Amino acid sequence: MPRPVLLVVAHGSRDPRHAATVHALVRRVRARRPGVRVETGFLDFDVPSVAGVLESLAAEGVRDVVALPLLLTRAFHAKSDIPAVLDAAPARLRIRQAEVLGPSPLLTAALERRLYEAGVSPADRSSTGVVLASAGSTDPEALAVIEGIVREWRRAGWRAVRPAFASAALPRTEEAVEALRAAGCARVAVAPYVLAPGFLPDRIARGAAGADVLADVLGPAPEVVQVVLTRYDRAASPALSATGA
């Protein structure tokens, strides 16, 4: 019995860098799991749309789909937008919505990978303040994820760690950078907790102008690829059991 199709559900953006980064990530997922068909759908701005991909799959005779939200926290899109699109899919499809990517120790490792690639050394931890900058949300569950990473990093030997948000919550990135400077950090680094470039990541970058280091977005980091596959496997297993595989 074939494994369920993996449908990666991305947010979408008017910024072409967003889709390019999503497609780069999906290519690495395909390379890691050649026995699984992997498709990409966007909620907004980009094509193909999630609804369009689901219609095409149903027309081909596909039965089982795992829809995986390419999201770092479980907020409005994961709780409302995506379920609404999946509920409207053709009835012949059996669709399971996988969990969002975060939180995960692998994502924390990916954040650190990006910091090191940007020039921070592990030996710099004790003198470096880090701003963990996310897109922002009013959802308490999403905010709790950010606070959890901040607490973890504070215990991991960084000089200081502060959260920042590009929208919906405070402080902004520039405010967090200034606070770390005031706290006596000799070096300040900004780690964007975002998957792909776009409007809000650009706002984070502008807010990082006073920092010493700005890490890249997570993008197709190998740790992100592994999280995608782990989320898929967990969601696909019940589907395989249901079909007798």
Side-chain angles (χ1 to χ4, degrees):
M1 188 68 66
R3 290 182 62 80
V5 171
L6 168 56
L7 172 58
V8 175
V9 180
H11 184 278
S13 171
R14 292 186 177 90
D15 189 324
R17 296 174 299 166
H18 175 91
T21 302
V22 170
H23 290 312
L25 172 60
V26 169
R27 284 194 297 270
R28 292 193 176 185
V29 171
R30 287 192 183 111
R32 283 280 306 276
R33 195 65 62 85
V36 173
R37 179 176 175 180
V38 186
E39 299 290 343
T40 308
F42 296 91
L43 289 173
D44 208 351
F45 302 117
D46 293 300
V47 292
S49 68
V50 177
V53 174
L54 292 171
E55 291 282 353
S56 296
L57 291 174
E60 291 179 30
V62 170
R63 295 295 303 276
D64 291 305
V65 177
V66 169
L68 189 150
L70 203 62
L71 302 169
L72 296 174
T73 59
R74 189 170 178 272
F76 180 78
H77 293 303
K79 295 177 180 178
S80 181
D81 283 353
I82 294 175
V85 174
L86 301 183
D87 286 345
R92 67 170 288 118
L93 292 175
R94 291 191 290 257
I95 305 174
R96 295 179 182 270
Q97 182 175 330
E99 291 297 321
V100 299
L101 302 184
S104 168
L106 284 170
L107 294 180
T108 306
L111 284 165
E112 294 192 342
R113 169 192 290 275
R114 293 304 190 220
L115 282 170
Y116 298 149
E117 290 171 348
V120 178
S121 164
D124 297 330
R125 281 178 178 259
S126 61
S127 61
T128 301
V130 179
V131 176
L132 181 68
S134 70
S137 174
T138 58
D139 189 292
E141 187 175 352
L143 295 174
V145 169
I146 304 304
E147 288 296 338
I149 299 172
V150 168
R151 287 195 300 270
E152 179 182 348
W153 269 2
R154 285 173 178 162
R155 295 192 296 265
W158 296 101
R159 171 71 173 78
V161 186
R162 288 181 178 263
F165 307 94
S167 67
L170 295 173
R172 296 287 182 256
T173 303
E174 54 269 29
E175 295 168 342
V177 170
E178 291 171 3
L180 289 173
R181 293 286 190 206
C185 294
R187 199 175 195 206
V188 176
V190 175
Y193 189 57
V194 293
L195 281 167
F199 177 75
L200 293 179
D202 281 351
R203 181 178 288 177
I204 290 171
R206 289 193 297 272
D212 300 291
V213 174
L214 170 63
D216 199 358
V217 299
L218 296 175
E223 296 87 352
V224 178
V225 173
Q226 183 57 53
V227 176
V228 169
L229 292 172
T230 298
R231 297 289 186 259
Y232 167 77
D233 288 339
R234 288 178 182 172
S237 295
L240 291 172
S241 299
T243 58

